[in-house]
Amino acid sequence: MPLIDFRDLEGEERYKLEVLSRNKNYLYASISWLLEHDVINQKDLENIENLKTYRNYLAHEMSNIVFNGEISNFMDNFLCAYELINKIENWWIVNFEMTLNPEFNDICIDDIDVENIQSGKKIMIDIALLVLNGNDELLERFKFMNNKV
């Protein structure tokens, strides 16, 4: 049985009360909820803060990055964000989406390899990483598919 019965969070008012009321900033309201429900931990919170600082660096130093090619720690931060996204996505799939889908009623969550769930978002990021790392075949296949549409 999942930790939370999300059917109880249906409806905008309940969502506002349970999650958004925690902080006027939606990001921090959501983080608070995720921490309380052990979806993320203190180390994840530190990583989120570091990523926020890095995002601000990218936004405020855009001209230096574009014109001088001065970008640092991009891949480390990208991979950190990727891991956080996977962690939250996988938790959400197991504890929300599966609880609402009757096809999963007879499945024991303990039998699921949560670390290896392949969400749509994860697959797209994996493809982007392969292309960024020089997999031209995937890039060409993607271009070909987009030209057919």
Side-chain angles (χ1 to χ4, degrees):
M1 188 58 146
L3 300 173
I4 300 163
D5 185 353
F6 282 96
R7 290 170 288 214
D8 290 342
L9 285 178
E10 288 181 23
E12 188 175 331
E13 289 305 313
R14 183 83 188 258
Y15 175 70
K16 286 179 183 176
L17 179 67
E18 296 289 327
V19 179
L20 298 182
S21 66
R22 296 166 177 263
N23 193 301
K24 64 181 181 179
N25 179 299
Y26 288 177
L27 172 65
Y28 287 108
S30 296
I31 288 170
S32 170
W33 190 91
L34 292 169
L35 279 166
E36 180 181 316
H37 292 90
D38 296 320
V39 179
I40 62 174
N41 57 37
Q42 201 60 39
K43 179 66 177 160
D44 295 326
L45 178 58
E46 291 169 21
N47 286 335
I48 290 168
E49 288 300 326
N50 290 336
L51 288 167
K52 185 177 172 193
T53 299
Y54 187 72
R55 176 253 172 235
N56 290 340
Y57 154 74
L58 292 176
H60 296 291
E61 297 297 325
M62 187 59 67
S63 60
N64 286 334
I65 293 167
V66 171
F67 295 116
N68 302 323
E70 295 178 16
I71 188 167
S72 61
N73 302 323
F74 177 78
M75 193 51 79
D76 290 341
N77 284 292
F78 184 88
L79 292 174
C80 179
Y82 173 78
E83 289 171 3
L84 279 165
I85 289 168
N86 278 338
K87 183 177 190 176
I88 295 167
E89 278 275 307
N90 290 356
W91 185 91
W92 188 258
I93 288 168
V94 170
N95 292 282
F96 179 73
E97 292 180 13
M98 288 179 64
T99 63
L100 298 177
N101 187 334
E103 290 182 30
F104 295 102
N105 284 349
D106 296 329
I107 293 179
C108 177
I109 289 177
D110 294 335
D111 295 336
I112 298 172
D113 184 4
V114 177
E115 300 296 318
N116 289 309
I117 291 174
Q118 299 291 313
S119 70
K121 192 175 292 181
K122 180 185 185 311
I123 292 168
M124 291 302 296
I125 295 171
D126 286 344
I127 291 170
L129 283 172
L130 287 170
V131 171
L132 285 171
N133 282 314
N135 188 326
D136 292 336
E137 181 184 332
L138 275 174
L139 180 59
E140 291 306 316
R141 197 176 317 156
F142 179 74
K143 285 179 183 177
F144 176 76
M145 289 176 11
N146 278 335
N147 287 336
K148 292 187 108 183
V149 176

